[in-house]
Amino acid sequence: MMHNVSASGFVATLRASKTFPSGIQLTAWADDADPFDIPAVIAATAAMNLNGELVVFNSPTPVPLTINLIAGSPDDENMSILLDANTAGFGKTVAQDVITLTGTYPDGRTVDLSEGVLISGIPTPGIASAGRLKSKAWAMTFTSSKVSRKTGVVA
């Protein structure tokens, strides 16, 4: 059996409630950092009690996402606008955007991330020792995620 795991053609649509209510498409993915990175989410916590019994509990955890975009690309510029709008400063009103993001994979599956916020971003690109601009990382956290599966999959 052969499996094609290519991500070429991945597109994300980001909607920010105040800054980009109609949404923006993200396609300028970095080549020097992971473009779309969702780390493991903790589903349960385990511990041992005083008598050596296993105690497990589940609690909701946020869904972190880091995207890395080509420095200076239109996508990167839009994320800079979002960062500026949501960064507090003297005499400045913060947008307090609520973010939703939908990622569409080449095989048709999607991931929907909802009720998110921009946690951090890099206001200006650094310079790598190779002489190129470093890609900029944008970190967000979401309340929930929903993944649609490929249709027609038979186990």
Side-chain angles (χ1 to χ4, degrees), residues 24-82:
I24 56 172
Q25 283 209 329
L26 302 173
T27 60
W29 306 112
D31 67 337
D32 60 346
D34 290 339
F36 192 85
D37 188 30
I38 300 177
V41 174
I42 298 170
T45 301
M48 301 297 278
N49 73 7
L50 182 63
N51 295 325
E53 299 167 320
L54 180 64
V55 178
V56 179
F57 64 94
N58 302 83
S59 63
T61 57
V63 180
L65 167 69
T66 300
I67 60 172
N68 288 281
L69 300 169
I70 298 170
S73 67
D75 294 356
D76 180 59
E77 293 300 323
N78 281 333
M79 291 303 295
S80 291
I81 291 167
L82 185 62

Side-chain angles (χ1 to χ4, degrees), residues 14 20 35 40 47 50 52 73 81 84 88 101 110 114 118 137 141 143 151-153:
L14 181 145
F20 298 117
L50 182 63
S73 67
I81 291 167
D84 185 57
L101 188 141
T110 60
S114 59
L118 181 65
T141 299
T143 300
T151 58
V153 176

Side-chain angles (χ1 to χ4, degrees), residues 120-131:
S120 68
I122 301 170
T124 188
I127 300 172
S129 62

Side-chain angles (χ1 to χ4, degrees), residues 4-19:
N4 186 335
V5 295
S6 175
S8 180
F10 178 81
V11 176
T13 302
L14 181 145
R15 288 177 190 79
S17 59
K18 295 180 183 165
T19 306

